[in-house]
Amino acid sequence: MAVYIVKRILLAALTIFLVATITFFLMNLVPGGPFVAEKSISEQAQAALKEKFGLDKPLIVQYKNYMLSALQGDFGLSLKQRGRTVTDIILSKFPVSARVGGIAVLTALVVGIPLGSVAALKRGTWIDNLIIVIATCGIAFPSFVICTVGMYVFGVYLGWLPTLGLTTPTHYILPVFALAFYPTAYITRLMRSSMLDVIGQDYMRTARAKGLSQFVSLFKHALRNAILPVVTYIGPLLAYALTGSFIVEKIFVIPGLGKEFVSSIANRDYTVIMGTTIFLATLVILMNVLVDIVYKIIDPRIQLK
Amino acid sequence: MTKKNPLSFQLNVDDFLPATDAEKQSLTQMRPGVSYWKDAMRRLWKNKVAMVSLGVILIIMVFSFIVPMFYPYRYEQQIRGSEYLRPMTYSAEEQARIDAGEKVFPHILGTDYLGRDYAVRVMVGSRISLLVGLIASAIILIIGSTYGAISGFFGGWVDLVMMRIVDIIYTVPDILLIVLISVSIRDPMEKLATLPAFQWVQTVGVNLISIFIVFALLYWVGMARIVRGQVLTLKQNEYVTAAKALGASNGRIIRKHLLTNCIGTLIVTTTLQIPSSIFTESFLSFLGLGVAIPLPSLGSLASAALNGLNSYPYLLLSPALLISLIILSFNLFGDGLRDAFDPKLKQ
């Protein structure tokens, strides 16, 4: 177990390092620079700014400097938002994304697991068919379609829900709905197939035969086994909720990390691009590692490699 | 003939006569053998959902590839005075021409803010989406299957190193890199397009090519994993040993024996890759990183429609519906193919 965990964490560290390296050189390939767009700044001032941020040095030296300070937890100052550190920007934007994403993940789990179980238990009936149709649509509709259509129907046409910003609790409904739609559908499908698999197992018949009630056999035996594939999906799901929110944040004008990332690319705000990429990549990769480890703990049948 | 003693071991000579033609006939197969392909095709043909999806895909293909050639409007053609027409309406100028007895083709889905016919834009947009889906999946098929087959076939440390690389790419948050790569390779590609030998880059479109590169770099890993798994089991078969004994080269064994034997998996995985490629392209176009103006894609059409959502909601409806329909049909058809080619996988 310990060997496995160490191996996974080392691989994760290597991955994060590679992501950081790739991002660094990719973003420097992008034409233009952080100070080009600002017409008010003279050539000398631009040069002075470049010198101040160390952008006048050769790329490889910049890379070395950045990586060394990043290792010490210093992600530098934003090139565009004067006087703000990258850490400060990430810490102020991330809670917004995390809240929307977290609620969406919870919604997906709370709705998807019962829906999938019901579909499996009522196999072949109209309830099952209805749930399958909804789940198939949920997987096929891109998030921007859900966002825009939902925004039009509930925000513009019916006028029930606010469409822009994130100030009151009702503001959360549409973004969370849009973000949770795909994972809910996916979890429903996953849950349905694993539940079907579990209720055909011998131990389910044994449980019923030894006189356990339907309720106990379903909740203590079937659900606990059927939920395992869903647990493995939580890692990718969290990654999706955090990075998949780019579109949702753009459409609903939510001041989150995804929007910050996209605009930092447009602004060539190098330090913010790097900081956000490393932060999100670390988060996603660590979540995946954590979920895999938890999965091996809760399912003793899985052998450690 | 005397009655035979029931305990006697004496054999009946008649049983050992050569079979007559009639007897031989009765022992031959009642019907011709069903090959793997025929069997799969029959199962697919019986699957109503998959056949309807295939029909929908074919109809959409006809509309996006053939109909725009005959359509009276072109996708980049701006008709002055016809901005923001509602579906099936005419501008004052066109109305005057109709009154004068001229025939004016109706704007079935209206026009956009520059007076471009929306129906033809949606058709060309779905052409781009389909092209991206098909070509990107082909690229993924080629890279993924080669990589996976090599990794699975050679095994040992080759496999170890190759699969660690796959693991790393797999865990990288893809959206981050897609956005970065598609922005950063645009400039080098544009420089490349000015060279005389690479004029075609300009015709295909720099953004479109950068999307393909993104797919080629990031999305082959799933395919590689699946193919490797198949090859690992397939290479234990006797025919591989036989081919080796006959002196076949490794490349020949991979091409002729291993890849041909997992063709069912390859077809199914590629078909299911198409909708996810279309999905990603529309996502990128929606963020403004997809195909270049004035070329439309369903994602960029929906993105543009968002700005005028309050006044012109119908501009959003058709691209949004169409992209969902395309992805849905490919998904359902892929599911049908999977059931047909690999009934064991059916859940």
Side-chain angles (χ1 to χ4, degrees):
Chain A
M1 189 70 186
V3 175
Y4 172 79
I5 293 175
V6 169
K7 219 166 118 186
R8 283 301 303 263
I9 289 175
L10 282 181
L11 198 62
L14 179 65
T15 312
I16 294 164
F17 170 74
L18 281 177
V19 170
T21 308
I22 294 170
T23 313
F24 188 87
F25 289 105
L26 269 181
M27 91 191 165
N28 278 295
L29 268 179
V30 182
F35 310 117
V36 174
E38 294 173 45
K39 295 217 169 61
S40 56
I41 301 181
S42 66
E43 297 250 329
Q44 284 122 337
Q46 273 196 34
L49 274 172
K50 277 196 170 172
E51 204 187 327
K52 183 189 162 200
F53 288 108
L55 296 181
D56 53 341
K57 298 194 179 72
L59 202 56
I60 204 81
V61 179
Q62 285 183 41
Y63 172 70
K64 193 194 81 189
N65 290 345
Y66 184 83
M67 288 309 239
L68 283 180
S69 60
L71 270 180
Q72 292 158 8
D74 175 19
F75 291 96
L77 287 164
S78 163
L79 304 180
K80 281 290 196 175
Q81 306 177 34
R82 295 285 142 72
R84 291 190 76 185
T85 63
V86 175
T87 319
D88 180 37
I89 292 175
I90 291 176
L91 286 182
S92 71
K93 302 278 180 177
F94 177 65
V96 182
S97 298
R99 223 174 297 144
V100 177
I103 300 174
V105 168
L106 274 183
T107 315
L109 288 172
V110 168
V111 178
I113 292 172
L115 223 55
S117 314
V118 168
L121 295 176
K122 303 268 177 196
R123 188 185 190 179
T125 62
W126 65 270
I127 301 176
D128 183 27
N129 289 332
L130 182 73
I131 292 175
I132 291 179
V133 168
I134 295 173
T136 313
C137 289
I139 285 174
F141 292 175
S143 58
F144 69 85
V145 170
I146 307 282
C147 283
T148 46
V149 172
M151 195 168 168
Y152 175 67
V153 172
F154 295 105
V156 179
Y157 189 73
L158 295 171
W160 289 350
L161 296 170
T163 50
L164 303 177
L166 205 60
T167 41
T168 63
T170 46
H171 279 89
Y172 280 88
I173 297 176
L174 275 178
V176 166
F177 176 72
L179 204 53
F181 204 68
Y182 176 83
T184 310
Y186 194 87
I187 289 175
T188 306
R189 275 170 66 139
L190 210 60
M191 195 66 204
R192 179 178 177 273
S193 65
S194 76
M195 196 68 166
L196 278 179
D197 188 41
V198 166
I199 47 184
Q201 296 287 335
D202 289 340
Y203 58 77
M204 284 305 293
R205 204 179 310 132
T206 314
R208 292 288 286 145
K210 73 180 184 185
L212 288 184
S213 69
Q214 180 97 33
F215 183 84
V216 173
S217 67
L218 272 184
F219 277 83
K220 276 201 80 168
H221 295 253
L223 201 62
R224 271 179 69 173
N225 280 297
I227 217 160
L228 291 173
V230 178
V231 174
T232 36
Y233 178 60
I234 292 180
L237 173 63
L238 284 167
Y240 162 85
L242 288 173
T243 53
S245 57
F246 284 19
I247 289 251
V248 177
E249 285 177 12
K250 184 183 179 217
I251 294 178
F252 293 105
V253 198
I254 296 168
L257 205 53
K259 196 161 163 282
E260 185 65 38
F261 178 67
V262 174
S263 69
S264 72
I265 289 182
N267 290 332
R268 314 276 183 272
D269 196 340
Y270 293 145
T271 45
V272 178
I273 300 178
M274 284 302 289
T276 324
T277 312
I278 294 177
F279 178 75
L280 282 178
T282 311
L283 205 65
V284 167
I285 291 165
L286 285 186
M287 286 293 176
N288 273 326
V289 173
L290 202 68
V291 164
D292 280 1
I293 292 170
V294 167
Y295 184 66
K296 311 236 153 166
I297 293 171
I298 59 173
D299 188 0
R301 285 170 302 183
I302 301 285
Q303 283 193 335
L304 295 175
K305 273 193 283 184
Chain B
M1 213 171 157
T2 53
K3 198 175 170 233
K4 204 176 134 195
N5 184 341
L7 295 174
S8 156
F9 282 106
Q10 194 180 9
L11 295 168
N12 188 356
V13 187
D14 290 346
D15 288 349
F16 295 90
L17 287 176
T20 62
D21 280 347
E23 275 172 333
K24 278 183 193 163
Q25 199 66 47
S26 75
L27 285 175
T28 52
Q29 275 181 313
M30 299 305 284
R31 55 192 167 91
V34 181
S35 72
Y36 173 70
W37 281 98
K38 271 190 187 156
D39 204 30
M41 282 306 156
R42 201 190 55 205
R43 269 197 297 263
L44 187 65
W45 186 250
K46 274 192 191 160
N47 188 335
K48 278 195 205 106
V49 178
M51 290 325 283
V52 170
S53 314
L54 182 63
V56 171
I57 292 169
L58 290 178
I59 292 172
I60 292 176
M61 280 187 170
V62 167
F63 268 97
S64 49
F65 287 99
I66 299 173
V67 172
M69 286 197 270
F70 306 108
Y71 210 69
Y73 302 106
R74 275 171 295 113
Y75 72 88
E76 78 280 23
Q77 179 188 3
Q78 303 179 11
I79 307 161
R80 210 169 290 162
S82 312
E83 291 85 7
Y84 281 131
L85 286 182
R86 293 198 169 269
M88 298 307 281
T89 54
Y90 300 96
S91 66
E93 192 196 335
E94 283 165 340
Q95 195 59 47
R97 275 165 58 201
I98 294 171
D99 293 341
E102 246 184 285
K103 272 196 178 157
V104 174
F105 198 81
H107 301 290
I108 298 169
L109 296 174
T111 56
D112 68 359
Y113 66 106
L114 288 173
R116 295 176 291 198
D117 185 77
Y118 207 57
V120 73
R121 282 187 74 73
V122 170
M123 282 191 268
V124 174
S126 54
R127 176 198 293 179
I128 301 294
S129 295
L130 283 172
L131 272 181
V132 169
L134 295 173
I135 297 176
S137 304
I139 295 173
I140 290 166
L141 171 70
I142 294 168
I143 298 180
S145 60
T146 318
Y147 193 96
I150 290 173
S151 174
F153 181 74
F154 289 105
W157 65 269
V158 177
D159 185 36
L160 197 75
V161 172
M162 287 177 92
M163 277 303 122
R164 280 297 87 77
I165 295 172
V166 165
D167 281 347
I168 289 173
I169 297 179
Y170 207 77
T171 36
V172 166
D174 50 355
I175 301 294
L176 292 177
L177 279 192
I178 290 176
V179 173
L180 259 175
I181 293 176
S182 58
V183 172
S184 55
I185 58 181
R186 194 167 299 162
D187 193 53
M189 289 301 286
E190 263 159 17
K191 280 203 188 107
L192 191 71
T194 54
L195 298 175
F198 291 96
Q199 292 269 309
W200 55 270
V201 173
Q202 203 65 57
T203 20
V204 182
V206 170
N207 292 31
L208 212 54
I209 291 179
S210 53
I211 289 177
F212 292 145
I213 294 178
V214 168
F215 277 95
L217 285 176
L218 287 181
Y219 281 107
W220 52 271
V221 285
M223 176 74 85
R225 276 188 169 176
I226 292 169
V227 172
R228 172 181 169 269
Q230 289 265 313
V231 167
L232 278 183
T233 50
L234 284 175
K235 75 171 180 181
Q236 311 288 344
N237 283 326
E238 283 86 355
Y239 56 76
V240 177
T241 323
K244 245 185 213 161
L246 286 169
S249 68
N250 289 333
R252 190 185 156 85
I253 294 176
I254 290 177
R255 265 192 330 249
K256 294 275 174 185
H257 298 281
L258 297 176
L259 283 181
T260 35
N261 268 299
C262 51
I263 196 120
T265 321
L266 291 182
I267 292 174
V268 172
T269 320
T270 310
T271 317
L272 287 172
Q273 183 62 51
I274 295 172
S276 80
S277 304
I278 295 178
F279 202 99
T280 313
E281 186 277 328
S282 64
F283 176 91
L284 278 178
S285 294
F286 194 85
L287 285 178
L289 303 167
V291 295
I293 298 165
L295 207 62
S297 109
L298 292 175
S300 65
L301 287 175
S303 170
L306 193 65
N307 297 328
L309 190 64
N310 286 330
S311 330
Y312 314 102
Y314 55 89
L315 290 180
L316 174 67
L317 198 68
S318 38
L321 269 183
L322 201 60
I323 191 108
S324 308
L325 190 66
I326 292 175
I327 294 175
L328 187 66
S329 326
F330 271 111
N331 265 326
L332 291 176
F333 182 62
D335 283 349
L337 271 181
R338 190 191 51 204
D339 293 350
F341 277 103
D342 203 346
K344 272 178 296 179
L345 278 176
K346 190 172 182 177
Q347 289 173 339

